[in-house]
Amino acid sequence: MTNYLYLFFLVLTVAACKSPEARKPVSAKSGSFIDQSVARNIELNEREHAVFEQLMQADTTTKYIASNSGFWYAYQTQVADSLITPQFGDKLTFEYHVTDIAGNTIYSKADLQPQTYIMDKQELFTGLREGLKLMRAGETVTFLFPSQKAYGYYGDENKIGTNVPLICEVTLHSITRSESN
């Protein structure tokens, strides 16, 4: 009887020392949702670029510049004698208004009031943040932002809906350097 008891404990000890085995997934998911989402976003981006191309071709008096960040801009007022552009931490004072691609006002300058913004330390939609970095104090620039550079899929949860490309006219009044710059 004691031999059986020793044998039982020996089998139990050997079984307890077994390394754990990886479990197989219950079901394997394919990347089809992500692939479909990528395809939709590429199509949306191409449609918005085509609309902006038409707008730029129709406006023969304005020279639009393509940014490296995926939007276009044109100077309404350009300041050539200043080399100072906003850097991280600088305090900016600016005003702007927002229209849709049909020219309908979404937010007027009166709605938005002059803004004070600390460069890259406060929230601002991606396109406008990147656009301000291109400006000098005293300049007025018109930006054409595709929806992914504006408010994207979520909109601003107020007047700007899902995937709405925007046109913003921005006037940068002042740049106050931060102490670290």
Side-chain angles (χ1 to χ4, degrees):
M1 181 71 166
T2 58
N3 287 340
Y4 288 120
L5 193 57
Y6 286 124
L7 183 62
F8 174 73
F9 283 119
L10 180 66
V11 170
L12 186 65
T13 305
V14 170
C17 294
K18 183 179 171 188
S19 64
E21 291 182 21
R23 294 184 295 169
K24 304 272 189 227
V26 174
S27 64
K29 301 273 184 187
S30 69
S32 63
F33 174 76
I34 293 173
D35 293 340
Q36 291 171 353
S37 179
V38 168
R40 278 192 310 270
N41 287 333
I42 288 171
E43 181 184 332
L44 175 66
N45 194 22
E46 288 172 353
R47 279 194 318 251
E48 290 176 0
H49 281 203
V51 169
F52 282 137
E53 289 291 333
Q54 290 174 348
L55 284 172
M56 290 184 285
Q57 288 174 357
D59 186 2
T60 58
T61 61
T62 306
K63 181 185 176 220
Y64 286 91
I65 302 164
S67 76
N68 294 334
S69 300
F71 59 86
W72 294 268
Y73 62 100
Y75 289 97
Q76 305 304 317
T77 306
Q78 190 169 12
V79 176
D81 61 344
S82 175
L83 298 176
I84 299 172
T85 56
Q87 303 297 316
F88 179 82
D90 290 349
K91 180 180 177 181
L92 310 179
T93 304
F94 67 97
E95 60 183 350
Y96 69 111
H97 75 271
V98 180
T99 62
D100 62 16
I101 56 176
N104 302 315
T105 299
I106 298 173
Y107 292 111
S108 68
K109 286 184 180 182
D111 293 336
L112 297 171
Q113 301 290 315
Q115 303 281 314
T116 300
Y117 171 68
I118 306 298
M119 196 73 214
D120 292 333
K121 288 189 174 184
Q122 291 176 294
E123 287 295 317
L124 201 58
F125 71 87
T126 306
L128 186 54
R129 184 176 58 244
E130 292 171 359
L132 285 168
K133 291 178 183 179
L134 302 171
M135 297 179 70
R136 296 177 178 93
E139 291 184 334
T140 300
V141 178
T142 300
F143 294 100
L144 306 177
F145 296 122
S147 62
Q148 75 269 14
K149 289 294 178 180
Y151 287 94
Y153 180 75
Y154 294 103
D156 73 343
E157 298 178 356
N158 191 9
K159 293 183 178 181
I160 300 172
T162 299
N163 294 326
V164 176
L166 300 175
I167 300 172
C168 295
E169 186 174 291
V170 181
T171 301
L172 180 57
H173 295 295
S174 66
I175 302 171
T176 305
R177 288 286 187 207
S178 72
E179 293 177 12
S180 63
N181 290 339

